Amino acid sequence: MSAFPTTRLRRLRRTDSLRALVRETALSLDDVVMPLFACPGEGVVRPVEGLPAIAQRSVDELVREAGALASAGVRAVLLFGIPEEKDDEGSGAWDADGIVQRALRALRAEAPGLTLLTDVCLCEYTDHGHCGVLEGDTVANDETIELLARTAVSHVEAGADAVCPSDMMDGRVGAIREVLPETPIVSYAAKYASAFYGPFREVAESTPAFGDRRGYQMDPANVREALRECALDLDEGADVVMVKPALPYLDVIRTVRERFDCPVWAYQVSGEYAMVRAAVAAGHLEEPRAALETLTAIKRAGAGTIVTYWAGDLARWL
């Protein structure tokens, strides 16, 4: 490359159109998935203090929200459920008339153009808040994966296009693949025991009754372990691997992208969203610019698709 003054990199920064012509990373509504939270009742829209503009919604209101998202150009949603009752094994997760199953059937009928993904985990359904059945104070891995596979089957039977196991049990992708040979599996392959999940646990009502999830979610200090997790899940039949959270783990996203020739997703989690929203409320940041910058960073790191609470807003901003 020639040196200054022959080389002047500012030449291509002069106008919006010039900058757009040489932009290396672009965001699209094809690249985002909106999380939605289904709850019992009718006509229910229950805002969540820790997640501004996000709410638990009854199925009728969820259908209305999903229709608005689809009309705005959002193409995919990720469903979570808050059941009417919880028990020690999370049986509401695979109930054919469970909250997610009812939401799937309604969305399939009323918003046929949306791609419907479901979170497959037991934490919202267990009375102790952990992601599987317990043996004493420990989550029992092998017993749990049987229930996760049963849950995934019930989601597909109700209309899910893809299932997304997020529990971090060993072998759960293989167990699901065995019973669902044709269904896409989006694996939360590298899900870290993060401090950034707090607002989500409020909206999903899934705070553990004791202890924490460090016995099954990943240590934030580890990268090579994330590669092993992704490799194992792909060997077991995952179609997509996901890194969660996103912004604190951009290096992990980049490393996974460089290592594996498969779709790589990232989940921009509740704490990431809530931090920016809090700074906006305090007058420190401008929301569209800050949100778009974070999403661009995640895409630039290598994520092809981003699960984000800004998916609906992105439709306006773009």
Side-chain angles (χ1 to χ4, degrees):
M1 181 181 292
S2 301
F4 176 85
T6 303
T7 300
R8 293 177 181 265
L9 297 182
R10 286 181 56 188
R11 292 183 189 122
L12 294 175
R13 302 173 190 160
R14 285 174 43 239
T15 67
D16 284 344
S17 58
L18 280 171
R19 290 191 293 272
L21 285 171
V22 296
R23 186 162 295 135
E24 299 172 20
T25 305
L27 290 171
S28 163
L29 287 178
D30 292 340
D31 304 333
V32 295
V33 178
M34 180 69 184
L36 294 176
F37 299 89
C39 70
E42 187 174 343
V44 177
V45 178
R46 187 177 298 124
V48 179
E49 183 178 355
L51 278 176
I54 305 300
Q56 297 177 351
R57 288 179 164 84
S58 55
V59 171
D60 58 319
E61 293 292 340
L62 195 77
V63 167
R64 187 175 289 110
E65 174 70 3
L69 289 166
S71 296
V74 175
R75 299 171 65 89
V77 296
L78 175 60
L79 295 178
F80 298 85
I82 298 91
E84 295 170 341
E85 297 181 357
K86 304 188 180 194
D87 56 36
D88 59 356
E89 65 176 3
S91 61
W94 61 85
D95 185 345
D97 196 37
I99 186 65
V100 165
Q101 290 80 355
R102 296 200 303 271
L104 283 165
R105 288 191 289 268
L107 288 169
R108 180 58 66 217
E110 300 297 330
L114 271 179
T115 298
L116 305 179
L117 302 95
T118 60
D119 182 83
V120 177
C121 193
L122 303 183
C123 62
E124 298 120 271
Y125 302 90
T126 56
D127 53 17
H128 47 74
H130 280 283
C131 297
V133 294
L134 298 178
E135 286 183 354
D137 289 342
T138 302
V139 175
N141 189 94
D142 295 6
E143 292 82 350
T144 295
I145 64 174
E146 295 179 10
L147 303 182
L148 294 168
R150 191 186 306 179
T151 299
V153 169
S154 75
H155 288 178
V156 172
E157 289 176 344
D161 293 299
V163 293
C164 310
S166 65
D167 54 285
M168 290 302 288
M169 299 297 117
D170 292 333
R172 90 272 204 213
V173 171
I176 294 170
R177 177 54 70 218
E178 183 175 355
V179 294
L180 293 172
E182 301 297 328
T183 300
I185 298 176
V186 178
S187 172
Y188 290 67
K191 181 178 179 180
Y192 286 85
S194 173
F196 288 86
Y197 299 149
F200 171 87
R201 291 175 182 169
E202 180 185 354
V203 68
E205 299 181 9
S206 62
T207 303
F210 64 89
D212 53 44
R213 297 191 173 112
R214 287 181 290 181
Y216 41 101
Q217 294 178 356
M218 284 184 56
D219 187 333
N222 294 354
V223 178
R224 293 190 298 273
E225 185 183 9
L227 297 178
R228 295 184 70 190
E229 287 280 8
C230 290
L232 286 167
D233 285 0
L234 290 168
D235 285 346
E236 291 177 18
D239 301 285
V240 178
V241 293
M242 183 153 59
V243 177
K244 181 182 180 182
L247 281 179
Y249 298 90
L250 294 178
D251 61 318
V252 180
I253 297 170
R254 168 54 59 191
T255 304
V256 170
R257 172 68 285 157
E258 291 175 347
R259 177 68 64 89
F260 298 104
D261 188 18
C262 71
V264 176
W265 293 17
Y267 197 137
Q268 186 182 46
V269 301
S270 60
E272 300 173 56
Y273 172 84
M275 283 195 307
V276 173
R277 290 296 302 255
V280 169
H284 301 315
L285 295 176
E286 178 188 340
E287 185 177 8
R289 286 190 62 191
L292 288 169
E293 189 170 339
T294 63
L295 290 164
T296 300
I298 297 164
K299 188 80 183 293
R300 192 179 64 239
T305 298
I306 306 168
V307 181
T308 175
Y309 298 94
W310 274 303
D313 298 291
L314 194 65
R316 299 196 314 273
W317 297 334
L318 291 181

